[in-house]
Amino acid sequence: MALLEVENLKTYYFTLRGPVRAVDDVSFELEKGKVLGIAGESGCGKSTLAWSLLGMVPPPGKIAGGSIYLDGMDIAKMSEEELRRKVRWKRISMIFQGAMNSLNPVYTAGAQIEEVLTYHGNMSKLDARKRMYELLESVGLDRSLSKRYPHELSGGQKQRVVIAMALALEPDIVIADEPTTALDVVVQAQILNLLKRLQREKGISVILITHDLGVIAELADEVAIMYAGKIVEYGASEKIFYKPRHPYTYLLMKAVPKLKGPKESLIYIPGQPPDLVSPPKGCRFAPRCPWAMEVCSKDPEELTIEGPHRVACWLEKVSPGRTLELPKKA
């Protein structure tokens, strides 16, 4: 049994205009010790999916259907008290997007780590202080930084403090939501190497959420590509990167410059993601897809290609195994 199984998850934001279908019928699995990368454009539902796994969807959002099984327990049906006592920080923790925004500016870095240990871990203040120093050193920070406030730390130091908080109670799963955003390339590399080392040493499972495909390629064992609230392609990292089967995945790859191989012109995806209050019928990517067909007005079937590799696209149904190349008219 997988450590985490998400089945037909639906998370909507209920607004006056109608429900915004931010996560709409999403399913995936995460095995122990594996890294799952979730990629896609801004607004495709990645962060909402992360909040759903913790039961912390901000209002007016709400889990509208589906199941989230953690070791067989459906945490989507747990009460707020049960989630706080059994799941958050202990089993699933999160490295929040934007370290500066997720740290409290009026408390020192050390105090914020200690709060996790005393409030969620029921440690004494003395034990929490010792553990806090160990955590800081494990992420490459000197214990003297525990007395500094967030504004006295660099971007990389703040991100390391947030990582230390996420690892405080040794959870089974860590969700990293855009862990390298707003960091320069040198600090990005340091943070990625730190995550790789901690994941390898502690054997934790990681859900890595980002729109940066380079970060996904560096860390992920499996990749889920999201578009307009749905997973359109899912599979092993090498399969997704070397032979994408969904047009959206293919176009995302073509928008990334390559350091090796022949030079190719970068392309962009015209248009913009749909309004999730009233998404288009059928395939949600069809209005932007160079390969769109008449049948795309119907919901695409999810097809299993090989192993965990699956794709929701009519093109794969009509032309199985076809190598994607941009039509000349595009």
Side-chain angles (χ1 to χ4, degrees):
M1 181 181 293
L3 177 61
L4 180 73
E5 294 180 89
V6 177
E7 297 180 356
N8 308 113
L9 180 65
K10 297 180 180 180
T11 303
Y12 297 166
Y13 292 95
F14 294 90
T15 70
L16 294 177
R17 292 180 56 229
V20 178
R21 299 167 175 83
V23 174
D24 200 7
D25 201 20
V26 164
S27 300
F28 66 88
E29 296 181 353
L30 178 65
E31 296 181 12
K32 185 171 180 59
K34 297 292 185 179
V35 179
L36 170 65
I38 301 179
E41 291 173 280
S42 296
C44 69
K46 304 186 300 295
S47 293
T48 297
L49 175 58
W51 290 110
S52 301
L53 299 179
L54 283 167
M56 295 174 64
V57 183
K62 182 180 178 182
I63 294 178
S67 303
I68 305 170
Y69 292 105
L70 178 64
D71 275 344
M73 302 184 300
D74 189 355
I75 62 177
K77 293 181 172 59
M78 287 185 177
S79 66
E80 176 68 20
E81 174 61 24
E82 286 180 303
L83 286 168
R84 187 193 67 78
R85 184 164 42 87
K86 297 179 180 179
V87 177
R88 291 176 194 152
W89 298 104
K90 295 182 178 71
R91 302 297 307 277
I92 305 176
S93 65
M94 189 165 175
I95 301 169
F96 295 96
Q97 184 175 356
M100 190 65 222
N101 297 329
S102 59
L103 292 173
N104 192 321
V106 300
Y107 288 98
T108 63
Q112 295 185 61
I113 299 174
E114 287 178 25
E115 183 180 28
V116 174
L117 296 166
T118 54
Y119 186 72
H120 291 279
N122 299 317
M123 288 187 181
S124 66
K125 288 188 176 182
L126 181 60
D127 289 340
R129 180 66 54 85
K130 292 179 180 178
R131 175 65 176 153
M132 179 267 291
Y133 288 143
E134 292 174 0
L135 287 164
L136 287 177
E137 291 171 354
S138 73
V139 296
L141 294 177
D142 190 87
R143 61 173 57 191
S144 63
L145 269 65
S146 65
K147 297 180 181 179
R148 295 187 186 179
Y149 291 89
H151 71 273
E152 298 177 298
L153 302 174
S154 69
Q157 289 171 333
K158 286 195 287 280
Q159 195 66 289
R160 289 168 187 263
V161 170
V162 174
I163 293 172
M165 292 172 66
L167 297 174
L169 299 180
E170 299 185 349
D172 299 302
I173 300 170
V174 172
I175 303 170
D177 189 5
E178 301 282 7
T180 58
T181 296
L183 301 176
D184 63 62
V185 291
V186 174
V187 179
Q188 279 188 27
Q190 293 172 352
I191 295 299
L192 291 178
N193 288 333
L194 172 63
L195 287 173
K196 282 197 292 187
R197 177 176 64 80
L198 293 172
Q199 186 267 336
R200 184 174 61 251
E201 291 177 354
K202 298 181 180 297
I204 57 177
S205 301
V206 176
I207 297 177
L208 177 64
I209 297 174
T210 180
H211 60 265
D212 189 332
L213 294 175
V215 173
I216 294 275
E218 182 76 13
L219 291 176
D221 299 301
E222 294 184 345
V223 180
I225 303 295
M226 284 192 75
Y227 182 77
K230 291 181 175 289
I231 290 179
V232 296
E233 186 166 6
Y234 182 97
S237 181
E238 61 271 15
K239 295 290 186 181
I240 298 293
F241 280 94
Y242 288 108
K243 195 173 182 181
R245 306 306 308 144
H246 195 281
Y248 179 62
T249 310
Y250 173 83
L251 292 172
L252 283 181
M253 302 299 177
K254 285 292 183 179
V256 179
K258 295 181 179 179
L259 296 178
K260 297 180 180 180
K263 293 182 180 180
E264 296 180 0
S265 298
L266 296 180
I267 64 171
Y268 72 99
I269 306 175
Q272 59 187 9
D275 180 359
L276 293 182
V277 173
S278 54
K281 293 181 180 179
C283 176
R284 294 183 178 181
F285 186 60
R288 306 172 70 189
C289 180
W291 294 272
M293 303 172 286
E294 187 176 344
V295 72
C296 296
S297 60
K298 300 177 182 178
D299 286 331
E301 300 176 17
E302 186 175 73
L303 302 172
T304 299
I305 298 173
E306 181 184 356
H309 194 179
R310 57 184 190 266
V311 62
C313 180
W314 284 112
L315 192 64
E316 186 66 29
K317 177 87 171 177
V318 174
S319 303
R322 172 179 175 174
T323 300
L324 293 176
E325 292 182 1
L326 277 174
K328 291 182 180 180
K329 64 178 181 179

